[in-house]
Amino acid sequence: MFYDFHSLAKHGVSPRGLPPEAPLFKLNSGEWQSIEEMIDGYETLTVSGRELLAPKLSWSNPAGADGGILTSDQYEQRNIVIKYRLTADSDRAFRDKFTQLNTILSRKMMTFTFNDDPNYYWKGELSAADTPEQGSNDVTSTFTLTCPDPFKHAIHAHDFTGDSQVQIITETQIPTLPEYIIYTPTQNTNNIVITALDKFYGNKKQIRLEGSFNAGEPIKIVPLSVDNDNLYVYNIHSEENIADTMTFDSDIEDFTLRKDSVVTASPSGSIEISFREKAL
């Protein structure tokens, strides 16, 4: 890697003393906390579903031809199964702990990480839960968190800056939309072209904007993403979304970057790109 990730211990996470595979959930406060820290007597035993994920392949089989033709491949949602143990000293305490567990896991689209993989987060919801053995206050069972997005994402985004050109320094080969692009032209212009060159495939992708742009006034471009179903173009000084005042000639939702992608801007100006690595 060309850079170091930050330790979660500096951002509200205290992984010491937890099982290696314990999940930690992001709270509304921004802190990360494990179920072990929220429920006394709860213990994560194992986690499965974070390993290899094969894409779903679709084929056509032309009559008279050997083999098949690959028509599409895509990754489906990921199911992460957590095996746990829950113990209590009394029937009432046991019931109270399951009430707590239900409350913790009832939130929609939870953000969570794992003690043994603290640099990445997932987003998912409870989709299944096994029924534990009856008649005991010491049980072992499982629940499933389904992640519509099968990729894990880096907790910390990285900023890349340059004058008219920026190279993305990362190890990921997975095409990823930038979090945002900030471009500041050095001259007044009615046209902006931002180009990404994929060195691996040799292809280019462009964002073309037509409007009225002043020298020294930065604009912020936020592409289409899983969490954002619209394109935003901000005048940073006024904090105004100016997307409706411009003409676009590009597929901005396809403006993906990865290892060694080179981004250039015309006319000349400064570029800042926030890039959040993702992985399977």
Side-chain angles (χ1 to χ4, degrees):
M1 299 295 289
F2 291 89
Y3 48 78
D4 294 326
F5 285 105
H6 300 283
S7 170
L8 285 182
K10 298 179 181 179
H11 298 269
V13 174
S14 178
R16 289 178 297 181
L18 296 177
E21 296 183 287
L24 297 97
F25 295 86
K26 189 173 185 179
L27 308 180
N28 292 334
S29 64
E31 296 181 346
W32 300 79
Q33 198 168 28
S34 67
I35 301 178
E36 281 85 350
E37 293 168 307
M38 292 184 271
I39 302 178
D40 183 42
Y42 175 95
E43 179 185 6
T44 301
L45 299 179
T46 61
V47 175
S48 62
R50 295 183 292 158
E51 298 76 25
L52 288 175
L53 183 67
K56 181 180 179 181
L57 306 180
S58 297
W59 303 86
S60 66
N61 299 96
D66 295 326
I69 299 174
L70 181 64
T71 57
S72 69
D73 64 278
Q74 65 181 65
Y75 289 102
E76 298 186 320
Q77 69 272 14
R78 184 185 287 270
N79 294 313
I80 298 177
V81 180
I82 299 170
K83 185 177 182 180
Y84 67 93
R85 181 187 179 194
L86 186 64
T87 64
D89 295 331
S90 67
D91 293 345
R92 182 170 181 176
F94 185 73
R95 191 53 46 207
D96 288 343
K97 291 180 181 183
F98 260 110
T99 298
Q100 286 180 270
L101 186 58
N102 271 300
T103 299
I104 293 168
L105 297 177
S106 65
R107 293 182 298 153
K108 301 300 181 183
M109 208 47 58
M110 296 175 286
T111 301
F112 56 95
T113 184
F114 290 92
N115 192 26
D116 60 359
D117 192 18
N119 294 319
Y120 292 90
Y121 71 85
W122 310 79
K123 283 193 172 183
E125 291 190 21
L126 180 69
S127 60
D130 285 348
T131 301
E133 180 184 353
Q134 302 299 300
S136 174
N137 293 335
D138 184 343
V139 298
T140 298
S141 191
T142 65
F143 62 85
T144 301
L145 299 176
T146 295
C147 303
D149 177 1
F151 296 94
K152 59 182 180 180
H153 297 260
I155 287 179
H156 300 284
H158 294 270
D159 293 336
F160 302 95
T161 60
D163 292 327
S164 299
Q165 180 172 302
V166 171
Q167 183 171 358
I168 303 301
I169 308 299
T170 177
E171 288 302 308
T172 184
Q173 291 284 8
I174 298 173
T176 304
L177 283 168
E179 298 272 295
Y180 60 78
I181 301 169
I182 297 177
Y183 166 70
T184 306
T186 57
Q187 63 191 63
N188 296 340
T189 182
N190 294 321
N191 296 278
I192 294 173
V193 179
I194 300 176
T195 303
L197 171 62
D198 188 324
K199 285 190 171 183
F200 187 79
Y201 285 109
N203 60 344
K204 292 182 179 180
K205 300 174 182 179
Q206 290 187 326
I207 297 174
R208 293 177 176 268
L209 307 178
E210 296 182 6
S212 179
F213 308 99
N214 297 324
E217 287 193 359
I219 61 169
K220 183 176 183 179
I221 303 168
V222 183
L224 185 74
S225 70
V226 173
D227 299 322
N228 171 24
D229 58 4
N230 290 290
L231 167 76
Y232 294 100
V233 180
Y234 292 101
N235 180 310
I236 291 182
H237 288 168
S238 65
E239 298 185 352
E240 177 186 5
N241 182 10
I242 57 176
D244 292 339
T245 69
M246 294 185 300
T247 300
F248 302 98
D249 180 21
S250 55
D251 294 325
I252 299 176
E253 64 271 21
D254 295 328
F255 195 80
T256 54
L257 309 173
R258 59 177 172 178
K259 181 180 179 180
D260 295 333
S261 291
V262 176
V263 180
T264 58
S266 177
S268 62
S270 65
I271 309 174
E272 176 185 339
I273 297 177
S274 179
F275 183 84
R276 189 180 300 274
E277 186 178 89
K278 69 180 182 181
L280 282 171

